[in-house]
Amino acid sequence: MTLPDRNGPNRNERWSQLQRTRVAILAHFFVLGAATATWAARLPAIKAELHLSDGRLGLALFAIPVGSVLTLAMSGRITDRFGAVRVLRIAGLLVPVALACLGLPGNLPLLMVLLMCYGAVSGLLDVAMNTCGARLEAAYGRPILTSLHAGYSIAGLAGAGIGGAFAALGIAPLPTFVTAAVALAVLAALAGRQVVLPPVVPHTDLPGAPPRRTARNITLVIAVLGLLGLCGQLGEGAAGDWSAVYLHVNLGTPSGVAAAGLAAFSVTMAVGRMFGDRLAARFGSALLVRCSGLVAGLGLAGGLLIGTPAAAIAGFALLGAGLAAIFPQAVSAAARLDPEHAGRNIGRIAAVAYLGLLGGPVAIGAIASGVGLRDALLVPAGLALLVAVLAGIMGQEKRQAPDEAAQDGSDQPGAEARL
């Protein structure tokens, strides 16, 4: 399906369709975030049911990112080959099905196989929804992708609450996952019908587009964008796995207070993603990513070096705020770089970035065994500063600002920019 052209229904109807599509894509970000968080919230029950040690549980958890990383590049090609909307609709249903299956295993090997499958379909949905979001952003004529990622962050909090509520009621993991899966599948099915995107506009047909890049140049830029994503995801993984450990073990805070580090990180990342699009529209992607890297790097480093619990929590909060927009802006830049192969390029970036999420916590642990956890956590701070240095790569594709779009005569900022 495609959006009506200029000679069809009026602009208000086209704008309404864009808004419905935006909400529908946001719903898919919510589906993935809520499914992943619901699974994570029931980990203690899964561990108890299968009588897993910490080491064996860690081995099982390793299967999810492995499944994602191994299939992300393929997911991008599938998205380009069969269409982002079609893949979005299918993957949006596969993720809840895979979630429900996670309550079935009676042994570790089967659990790992199902977790790899969950990681694979999650990667497929991840690429498809980011590709749809990037194409919708082009139709809007202004940044919207970072706010879509906010849906994933908010869904994480909702999914954790759902899983926690079922755990408090003493309900087993299988009924928990099935209940959540049914609700998420219904949401995905209803939302998928509302996703209607404009056709892909070839790069050379865009107004004021620079000459098309060579394949070698595109590959180089994608590699740098992937590095930016890796630096951001490594910091996210470090905060998720090590913030509470650092506060509890190194700074001696109670376990309840130690969890505040991750909570602060999660909240500021969600808030940062809510406002990231406005900042990108006002200041441009390059300046936003540069400042984001500085906030994340200097904030975390300062919190660690001061060495008090309050400073550390503030440092993780600044890390979350700084990392919020980096990966969405990298995805957006990749889509603008080569719209006809957006899925493939987004898949390549995501595969590199997820290596940071996969290997980052492990690397932090290895470094901490030699120099201590505080100094090891300075690594993601340094990588965030590297993001600030490399942010210039984001500025090579000019995007129409809302005020410019409004001067084109559209009723809504950017709504007619590319229709």
Side-chain angles (χ1 to χ4, degrees):
M1 297 179 66
T2 59
L3 288 174
D5 59 29
R6 292 180 182 272
N7 297 321
N10 60 41
R11 288 179 297 187
N12 286 337
E13 183 175 337
R14 292 195 293 273
W15 175 247
S16 295
Q17 181 61 71
L18 286 175
Q19 290 179 311
R20 288 194 298 270
T21 298
R22 182 176 182 177
V23 172
I25 296 174
L26 179 65
H28 284 84
F29 276 85
F30 186 92
V31 166
L32 183 56
T36 301
T38 301
W39 149 253
R42 299 313 315 268
L43 275 176
I46 294 288
K47 180 183 178 183
E49 279 190 1
L50 299 183
H51 307 289
L52 300 177
S53 65
D54 290 342
R56 288 163 67 85
L57 178 61
L59 179 64
L61 295 179
F62 197 69
I64 294 180
V66 167
S68 295
V69 170
L70 291 178
T71 57
L72 276 169
M74 186 187 304
S75 296
R77 295 182 182 277
I78 291 172
T79 298
D80 287 339
R81 171 67 177 82
F82 296 101
V85 175
R86 182 181 300 173
V87 175
L88 176 78
R89 291 170 178 166
I90 295 173
L93 295 175
L94 288 178
V95 166
V97 171
L99 172 65
C101 291
L102 293 180
L104 297 174
N107 56 70
L108 179 60
L110 179 57
L111 176 62
M112 292 185 66
V113 170
L114 291 175
L115 286 174
M116 287 190 67
C117 293
Y118 180 82
V121 296
S122 295
L124 184 63
L125 178 57
D126 197 334
V127 171
M129 67 189 188
N130 272 290
T131 303
C132 288
R135 283 181 56 187
L136 183 65
E137 184 176 74
Y140 261 72
R142 59 180 173 85
I144 63 167
L145 194 57
T146 304
S147 64
L148 294 177
H149 279 259
Y152 180 90
S153 299
I154 294 170
L157 300 175
I162 293 171
F166 275 76
L169 294 172
I171 300 174
L174 179 58
T176 303
F177 297 153
V178 170
T179 302
V182 170
L184 294 176
V186 170
L187 175 60
L190 294 176
R193 299 172 60 184
Q194 299 298 319
V195 179
V196 180
L197 293 173
V200 176
V201 180
H203 178 81
T204 52
D205 292 344
L206 294 175
R212 186 180 182 88
R213 297 174 182 271
T214 64
R216 182 177 180 180
N217 183 260
I218 289 175
T219 298
L220 178 61
V221 175
I222 291 296
V224 177
L225 292 174
L227 178 60
L228 295 180
L230 183 147
C231 293
Q233 293 292 87
L234 191 148
E236 184 172 349
D241 286 18
W242 291 107
S243 58
V245 175
Y246 173 72
L247 282 160
H248 181 59
V249 176
N250 291 65
L251 300 183
T253 60
S255 298
V257 177
L262 179 57
F265 173 87
S266 302
V267 169
T268 55
M269 173 167 276
V271 172
R273 285 179 168 173
M274 291 178 186
F275 292 96
D277 291 327
R278 298 180 187 179
L279 296 174
R282 183 173 181 83
F283 300 107
S285 295
L287 183 57
L288 173 60
V289 172
R290 181 171 290 114
C291 292
S292 294
L294 291 174
V295 169
L298 296 178
L300 178 59
L304 294 172
L305 294 175
I306 292 173
T308 64
I313 293 171
F316 285 115
L318 290 172
L319 178 67
L323 297 183
I326 292 175
F327 183 70
Q329 291 302 312
V331 168
S332 180
R336 298 195 306 272
L337 186 70
D338 187 7
E340 296 165 87
H341 301 97
R344 181 185 67 184
N345 291 333
I346 290 172
R348 291 159 67 185
I349 288 176
V352 175
Y354 277 36
L355 287 174
L357 191 64
L358 171 65
V362 178
I364 295 298
I367 296 170
S369 66
V371 300
L373 183 54
R374 189 203 69 169
D375 291 343
L377 286 172
L378 289 173
V379 171
L383 291 176
L385 295 177
L386 178 61
V387 168
V389 173
L390 298 176
I393 197 74
M394 311 288 296
Q396 298 185 24
E397 303 287 335
K398 186 179 183 299
R399 181 157 38 188
Q400 186 178 24
D403 290 342
E404 293 172 340
Q407 293 172 2
D408 292 340
S410 61
D411 292 336
Q412 301 291 343
E416 299 284 344
R418 303 250 167 82
L419 295 181

